[in-house]
Amino acid sequence: MEKIKSKLDRFEEDIFEGKDIDIKEFYRLKKHLIDTKKDNQDLLELHMILEAMLDKSQNELMNKRLNLLTIWSTIFLPLSFYTGMWGMNFDDVPLLTGDHGFWIFVGLTVVTIVGMWIYFKKNRWI
Protein backbone atom coordinates (compact mmCIF):
# COMPACT_ATOMS: atom_id res chain seq x y z
CA MET A 1 0.00 0.00 0.00
CA GLU A 2 2.81 2.42 0.88
CA LYS A 3 4.69 1.52 -2.29
CA ILE A 4 1.63 2.37 -4.38
CA LYS A 5 1.14 5.62 -2.47
CA SER A 6 4.78 6.62 -3.03
CA LYS A 7 4.51 5.90 -6.78
CA LEU A 8 1.36 7.98 -6.96
CA ASP A 9 3.04 10.81 -5.06
CA ARG A 10 6.00 10.68 -7.45
CA PHE A 11 3.66 10.89 -10.45
CA GLU A 12 1.84 13.79 -8.81
CA GLU A 13 5.08 15.72 -8.26
CA ASP A 14 6.26 15.07 -11.83
CA ILE A 15 2.94 16.22 -13.31
CA PHE A 16 2.89 19.41 -11.22
CA GLU A 17 6.51 20.16 -12.17
CA GLY A 18 5.79 19.55 -15.87
CA LYS A 19 8.22 16.65 -16.15
CA ASP A 20 7.73 13.78 -18.57
CA ILE A 21 6.33 10.68 -16.96
CA ASP A 22 6.44 7.02 -17.94
CA ILE A 23 2.97 6.59 -19.42
CA LYS A 24 3.18 2.78 -19.35
CA GLU A 25 4.00 2.78 -15.65
CA PHE A 26 1.27 5.37 -15.04
CA TYR A 27 -1.38 3.15 -16.62
CA ARG A 28 0.00 -0.02 -15.00
CA LEU A 29 -0.55 1.69 -11.67
CA LYS A 30 -4.08 2.62 -12.76
CA LYS A 31 -4.80 -0.99 -13.72
CA HIS A 32 -3.50 -2.19 -10.37
CA LEU A 33 -5.64 0.34 -8.52
CA ILE A 34 -8.73 -0.69 -10.47
CA ASP A 35 -8.03 -4.37 -9.81
CA THR A 36 -7.76 -3.68 -6.07
CA LYS A 37 -10.51 -1.09 -6.04
CA LYS A 38 -11.98 -2.03 -2.68
CA ASP A 39 -8.66 -1.64 -0.89
CA ASN A 40 -7.43 1.49 -2.66
CA GLN A 41 -10.51 3.60 -3.46
CA ASP A 42 -8.90 6.88 -2.33
CA LEU A 43 -5.72 6.22 -4.30
CA LEU A 44 -7.76 5.32 -7.38
CA GLU A 45 -9.63 8.62 -7.16
CA LEU A 46 -6.35 10.50 -6.81
CA HIS A 47 -4.99 8.66 -9.85
CA MET A 48 -8.06 9.61 -11.87
CA ILE A 49 -7.56 13.27 -10.92
CA LEU A 50 -3.90 13.09 -11.95
CA GLU A 51 -4.88 11.47 -15.24
CA ALA A 52 -7.30 14.32 -15.94
CA MET A 53 -4.57 16.85 -15.14
CA LEU A 54 -2.15 15.07 -17.47
CA ASP A 55 -4.73 15.08 -20.27
CA LYS A 56 -5.40 18.77 -19.70
CA SER A 57 -1.72 19.72 -19.90
CA GLN A 58 -1.28 17.71 -23.10
CA ASN A 59 -4.37 19.34 -24.62
CA GLU A 60 -3.06 22.80 -23.73
CA LEU A 61 0.24 22.05 -25.45
CA MET A 62 -1.58 20.80 -28.55
CA ASN A 63 -3.81 23.89 -28.60
CA LYS A 64 -0.77 26.18 -28.43
CA ARG A 65 0.84 24.38 -31.35
CA LEU A 66 -2.35 24.50 -33.42
CA ASN A 67 -2.79 28.18 -32.60
CA LEU A 68 0.71 28.95 -33.89
CA LEU A 69 0.12 26.87 -37.03
CA THR A 70 -3.15 28.70 -37.69
CA ILE A 71 -1.49 32.09 -37.33
CA TRP A 72 1.27 31.17 -39.78
CA SER A 73 -1.29 29.80 -42.23
CA THR A 74 -3.34 32.99 -41.97
CA ILE A 75 -0.28 35.11 -42.71
CA PHE A 76 0.82 33.07 -45.73
CA LEU A 77 -2.60 32.62 -47.35
CA PRO A 78 -2.85 36.19 -48.72
CA LEU A 79 0.82 36.08 -49.71
CA SER A 80 0.11 32.98 -51.79
CA PHE A 81 -2.78 34.80 -53.42
CA TYR A 82 -0.56 37.79 -54.30
CA THR A 83 2.09 35.50 -55.73
CA GLY A 84 -0.47 33.68 -57.83
CA MET A 85 -1.97 36.93 -59.08
CA TRP A 86 1.35 38.53 -60.05
CA GLY A 87 2.71 35.24 -61.43
CA MET A 88 0.14 34.87 -64.21
CA ASN A 89 1.44 34.55 -67.75
CA PHE A 90 -0.61 37.24 -69.47
CA ASP A 91 -0.36 41.01 -69.63
CA ASP A 92 -3.91 41.99 -68.64
CA VAL A 93 -3.20 41.89 -64.90
CA PRO A 94 -3.08 45.45 -63.55
CA LEU A 95 0.34 46.67 -62.41
CA LEU A 96 2.05 43.59 -63.88
CA THR A 97 3.73 45.41 -66.75
CA GLY A 98 3.95 48.79 -65.00
CA ASP A 99 7.24 50.35 -63.96
CA HIS A 100 6.40 50.14 -60.26
CA GLY A 101 4.51 46.83 -60.24
CA PHE A 102 7.26 44.94 -58.43
CA TRP A 103 7.55 47.57 -55.69
CA ILE A 104 3.79 47.69 -55.25
CA PHE A 105 3.83 43.91 -54.85
CA VAL A 106 6.61 44.12 -52.26
CA GLY A 107 4.85 46.93 -50.41
CA LEU A 108 1.52 45.08 -50.40
CA THR A 109 3.24 41.97 -49.08
CA VAL A 110 5.03 43.84 -46.27
CA VAL A 111 1.88 45.78 -45.33
CA THR A 112 -0.09 42.52 -45.16
CA ILE A 113 2.46 40.82 -42.93
CA VAL A 114 2.85 43.80 -40.61
CA GLY A 115 -0.92 44.37 -40.46
CA MET A 116 -1.63 40.78 -39.51
CA TRP A 117 1.20 40.75 -36.98
CA ILE A 118 -0.20 43.89 -35.31
CA TYR A 119 -3.72 42.45 -35.35
CA PHE A 120 -2.57 39.20 -33.74
CA LYS A 121 -0.50 41.04 -31.12
CA LYS A 122 -3.42 43.38 -30.34
CA ASN A 123 -5.72 40.43 -29.74
CA ARG A 124 -3.00 38.63 -27.74
CA TRP A 125 -2.95 35.63 -30.04
CA ILE A 126 0.86 35.70 -30.17
Side-chain angles (χ1 to χ4, degrees):
M1 175 83 165
E2 284 300 316
K3 184 178 178 183
I4 295 171
K5 176 80 170 112
S6 67
K7 280 184 179 182
L8 204 55
D9 288 340
R10 190 183 75 237
F11 281 127
E12 183 178 14
E13 288 174 13
D14 289 347
I15 289 172
F16 278 122
E17 292 174 5
K19 295 180 181 176
D20 290 334
I21 63 169
D22 184 9
I23 297 293
K24 289 181 183 178
E25 184 66 28
F26 186 75
Y27 284 109
R28 278 190 204 117
L29 179 60
K30 181 180 180 180
K31 182 183 179 313
H32 178 72
L33 289 172
I34 290 172
D35 290 345
T36 59
K37 188 174 184 177
K38 290 181 182 180
D39 300 333
N40 301 316
Q41 185 66 32
D42 293 339
L43 294 177
L44 179 60
E45 288 176 13
L46 179 60
H47 189 280
M48 297 297 238
I49 291 169
L50 290 175
E51 184 179 24
M53 289 174 58
L54 183 63
D55 285 343
K56 184 178 183 259
S57 67
Q58 289 176 347
N59 285 337
E60 286 177 9
L61 180 62
M62 181 68 74
N63 285 338
K64 287 179 184 178
R65 290 177 180 165
L66 287 175
N67 186 26
L68 185 63
L69 179 64
T70 302
I71 288 170
W72 280 108
S73 299
T74 304
I75 289 173
F76 281 102
L77 182 67
L79 301 180
S80 297
F81 173 75
Y82 299 154
T83 304
M85 182 66 96
W86 261 272
M88 292 185 179
N89 289 329
F90 50 88
D91 295 332
D92 295 339
V93 178
L95 304 173
L96 188 62
T97 57
D99 294 335
H100 303 293
F102 172 76
W103 295 111
I104 292 172
F105 171 75
V106 170
L108 187 61
T109 303
V110 170
V111 166
T112 301
I113 292 172
V114 170
M116 287 185 169
W117 184 264
I118 290 170
Y119 179 77
F120 292 144
K121 277 291 199 181
K122 181 181 173 185
N123 289 322
R124 296 185 180 137
W125 292 348
I126 46 177

